[in-house]
Amino acid sequence: EVQLVESGGGLVQPGGSLRLSCAASGFTFSTYWMHWVRQAPGKGLVWVSRINSGGSSTNYADSVKGRFTISRDNAKNTLYLQMNSLRAEDTAVYYCARAYDMDVWGKGTTVTVSS
Amino acid sequence: EIVLTQSPDFQSVTPKEKVTITCRASQSIGSSLHWFQQKPDQSPKLLIKYASQSFSGVPSRFSGSGSGTDFTLTINSLEAEDAATYYCRQSSSFPWTFGQGTKVEIK
């Protein structure tokens, strides 16, 4: 079964850091682009970042550029999102999604930035 | 950044009725437009890719059309299970963007 499972969310103070993980299974992880998408409480979907299959090319939303870093470990079938200098407006459910099409999504992990 | 504007924001529909949701892009994006469905407390699911290609396993009552700046998602003969929020998303240029969403409620 194709599956993505996010982890690493939690409560963090403004200015703090958090690293999210997305464990992939049931497919050849190393051949797919991967994305992070977030959704603030009661709000819509926002694309955050993307990484190519080999990890050599990345893109970011302007709102996170310079603060967030996407990476991957193809040997461990895992996608990461390092989040630094967190702000209240980063509070959201963070989803990982597979491929250019975003054809498979995880269930998400919740990040709350609050003092 | 390409802005996607969906209309309407909300629609209340009776079962078996036809639903039409539009997505307008702030500049031409060719056919790089995709549609997602998100039910309450669930992750989004891909419905339509590249404007009109149905994703595997999606019921045939869902269809997409359009190109350039104007796109449409149509749900023929709405079923109760179709209650959800629908989003369009563009992959023409980074940053990729989503529309604000259209909530479909069943009367």
Side-chain angles (χ1 to χ4, degrees), chain B residues 37-101:
Chain B
Q37 176 194 64
Q38 186 178 32
K39 295 181 180 179
D41 299 318
Q42 293 188 17
S43 307
K45 294 180 180 178
L46 177 65
L47 292 176
I48 304 287
K49 56 182 183 178
Y50 300 105
S52 62
Q53 299 177 22
S54 294
F55 184 58
S56 175
V58 173
S60 59
R61 63 182 179 275
F62 292 92
S63 64
S65 63
S67 67
T69 60
D70 294 302
F71 301 87
T72 300
L73 173 70
T74 300
I75 312 173
N76 283 301
S77 192
L78 186 81
E79 297 190 7
E81 66 183 31
D82 299 334
T85 301
Y86 294 84
Y87 295 91
C88 57
R89 182 211 106 202
Q90 66 83 18
S91 59
S92 175
S93 65
F94 290 108
W96 287 1
T97 47
F98 287 89
Q100 80 277 16

Side-chain angles (χ1 to χ4, degrees), chain A residues 57-70:
Chain A
S57 176
T58 59
N59 297 89
Y60 298 91
D62 289 345
S63 58
V64 307
K65 201 173 293 184
R67 299 188 299 123
F68 290 11
T69 302
I70 190 172

Side-chain angles (χ1 to χ4, degrees), chain A residues 52-93:
Chain A
N52 70 344
S53 58
S56 61
S57 176
T58 59
N59 297 89
Y60 298 91
D62 289 345
S63 58
V64 307
K65 201 173 293 184
R67 299 188 299 123
F68 290 11
T69 302
I70 190 172
S71 63
R72 65 192 297 160
D73 186 332
N74 285 342
K76 294 183 177 180
N77 292 335
T78 304
L79 173 73
Y80 302 102
L81 186 67
Q82 177 67 43
M83 304 186 296
N84 299 330
S85 303
L86 282 162
R87 307 166 179 167
E89 54 265 34
D90 296 318
T91 294
V93 174

